[in-house]
Short mmCIF file of all heavy atoms in Angstrom, two decimals:
data_model
loop_
_atom_site.label_atom_id
_atom_site.label_comp_id
_atom_site.label_asym_id
_atom_site.label_seq_id
_atom_site.Cartn_x
_atom_site.Cartn_y
_atom_site.Cartn_z
N GLY A 94 81.32 155.50 136.28
CA GLY A 94 80.90 155.37 134.89
C GLY A 94 79.44 155.68 134.68
O GLY A 94 79.08 156.43 133.76
N VAL A 151 76.53 148.11 153.42
CA VAL A 151 76.23 149.54 153.46
C VAL A 151 75.95 150.07 152.05
O VAL A 151 75.02 150.88 151.84
CB VAL A 151 77.40 150.33 154.10
CG1 VAL A 151 77.19 151.80 154.04
CG2 VAL A 151 77.61 149.90 155.55
N THR A 160 67.80 154.15 143.94
CA THR A 160 67.00 153.60 142.85
C THR A 160 65.56 154.04 142.95
O THR A 160 64.90 154.32 141.93
CB THR A 160 67.08 152.07 142.85
OG1 THR A 160 68.44 151.67 142.70
CG2 THR A 160 66.26 151.46 141.73
N GLY A 180 83.82 153.85 150.38
CA GLY A 180 85.02 154.19 151.12
C GLY A 180 85.59 153.03 151.91
O GLY A 180 86.81 152.81 151.94
N ILE A 208 91.67 146.93 138.58
CA ILE A 208 91.02 146.25 137.43
C ILE A 208 89.52 146.33 137.60
O ILE A 208 88.75 146.65 136.67
CB ILE A 208 91.45 144.78 137.34
CG1 ILE A 208 92.90 144.65 136.97
CG2 ILE A 208 90.60 144.04 136.31
CD1 ILE A 208 93.37 143.23 136.82
N GLY A 307 100.37 154.66 170.77
CA GLY A 307 99.22 154.21 170.01
C GLY A 307 99.45 154.48 168.52
O GLY A 307 100.39 155.18 168.12
N HIS A 314 102.99 161.87 165.18
CA HIS A 314 104.38 162.21 165.56
C HIS A 314 105.29 161.14 164.98
O HIS A 314 105.90 160.36 165.74
CB HIS A 314 104.52 162.31 167.06
CG HIS A 314 103.60 163.32 167.70
ND1 HIS A 314 102.34 163.02 168.13
CD2 HIS A 314 103.78 164.68 167.91
CE1 HIS A 314 101.76 164.11 168.64
NE2 HIS A 314 102.60 165.13 168.50
N ILE A 335 94.56 164.48 141.63
CA ILE A 335 94.62 165.89 141.24
C ILE A 335 95.16 166.08 139.84
O ILE A 335 95.14 167.18 139.32
CB ILE A 335 95.47 166.74 142.26
CG1 ILE A 335 96.88 166.20 142.34
CG2 ILE A 335 94.79 166.75 143.61
CD1 ILE A 335 97.77 167.05 143.26
N TYR A 343 84.28 161.20 134.80
CA TYR A 343 82.95 161.68 135.17
C TYR A 343 82.37 162.60 134.08
O TYR A 343 81.18 162.52 133.74
CB TYR A 343 83.01 162.50 136.47
CG TYR A 343 82.82 161.71 137.74
CD1 TYR A 343 83.74 161.77 138.76
CD2 TYR A 343 81.69 160.92 137.92
CE1 TYR A 343 83.55 161.07 139.94
CE2 TYR A 343 81.50 160.22 139.09
CZ TYR A 343 82.43 160.28 140.09
OH TYR A 343 82.25 159.59 141.27
N GLU A 359 75.59 159.58 120.68
CA GLU A 359 76.96 159.60 120.16
C GLU A 359 77.95 159.92 121.27
O GLU A 359 79.08 159.37 121.32
CB GLU A 359 77.09 160.60 119.02
CG GLU A 359 76.37 160.18 117.74
CD GLU A 359 76.49 161.23 116.66
OE1 GLU A 359 77.07 162.32 116.95
OE2 GLU A 359 76.05 160.97 115.54
N ALA A 362 78.31 156.80 123.32
CA ALA A 362 79.10 155.81 122.59
C ALA A 362 80.58 156.14 122.68
O ALA A 362 81.42 155.22 122.83
CB ALA A 362 78.65 155.78 121.13
N VAL A 365 81.95 154.99 125.96
CA VAL A 365 82.19 153.53 125.98
C VAL A 365 83.60 153.23 125.47
O VAL A 365 84.31 152.37 126.00
CB VAL A 365 81.14 152.79 125.15
CG1 VAL A 365 81.50 151.30 125.00
CG2 VAL A 365 79.75 152.90 125.79
N GLY A 368 85.94 153.79 128.22
CA GLY A 368 85.88 152.69 129.16
C GLY A 368 86.65 151.46 128.72
O GLY A 368 87.38 150.83 129.49
N VAL A 377 97.36 145.43 130.90
CA VAL A 377 98.78 145.56 130.58
C VAL A 377 99.58 145.82 131.86
O VAL A 377 100.67 145.23 132.04
CB VAL A 377 99.00 146.72 129.58
CG1 VAL A 377 100.49 146.96 129.33
CG2 VAL A 377 98.29 146.44 128.27
N MET A 398 100.66 160.80 130.64
CA MET A 398 99.50 161.59 131.01
C MET A 398 99.77 163.07 130.76
O MET A 398 98.87 163.82 130.31
CB MET A 398 99.15 161.37 132.49
CG MET A 398 98.52 160.03 132.76
SD MET A 398 98.38 159.72 134.56
CE MET A 398 97.25 161.02 135.03
N SER A 416 88.96 177.87 111.36
CA SER A 416 89.67 177.26 110.22
C SER A 416 90.01 175.80 110.48
O SER A 416 90.36 175.06 109.56
CB SER A 416 90.99 178.05 109.96
OG SER A 416 91.85 177.96 111.11
N CYS A 462 96.70 153.33 155.57
CA CYS A 462 96.02 153.17 154.28
C CYS A 462 94.68 153.89 154.28
O CYS A 462 94.25 154.43 153.24
CB CYS A 462 95.86 151.70 153.94
SG CYS A 462 97.38 150.86 153.46
N THR A 484 85.51 175.13 134.49
CA THR A 484 85.45 175.23 133.03
C THR A 484 84.70 176.49 132.60
O THR A 484 85.01 177.10 131.56
CB THR A 484 84.78 174.01 132.40
OG1 THR A 484 83.47 173.84 133.00
CG2 THR A 484 85.59 172.75 132.62
N SER A 494 94.73 172.29 130.98
CA SER A 494 96.09 172.80 131.03
C SER A 494 96.64 172.72 132.46
O SER A 494 97.79 172.39 132.68
CB SER A 494 96.16 174.25 130.54
OG SER A 494 95.78 174.34 129.19
N PHE A 526 113.00 151.04 154.67
CA PHE A 526 112.73 152.38 155.14
C PHE A 526 113.43 152.67 156.45
O PHE A 526 114.00 153.73 156.65
CB PHE A 526 111.22 152.60 155.32
CG PHE A 526 110.49 152.99 154.06
CD1 PHE A 526 109.95 152.01 153.23
CD2 PHE A 526 110.35 154.29 153.69
CE1 PHE A 526 109.26 152.33 152.10
CE2 PHE A 526 109.65 154.64 152.55
CZ PHE A 526 109.12 153.64 151.74
N LEU A 545 125.09 139.87 150.32
CA LEU A 545 126.49 140.27 150.12
C LEU A 545 127.24 140.05 151.44
O LEU A 545 127.14 140.83 152.36
CB LEU A 545 126.53 141.75 149.72
CG LEU A 545 125.91 142.07 148.37
CD1 LEU A 545 125.96 143.57 148.12
CD2 LEU A 545 126.65 141.37 147.24
#
Side-chain angles (χ1 to χ4, degrees):
V151 174
T160 301
I208 292 181
H314 301 90
I335 60 177
Y343 269 128
E359 289 179 355
V365 172
V377 175
M398 288 172 63
S416 63
C462 286
T484 56
S494 296
F526 276 90
L545 295 176

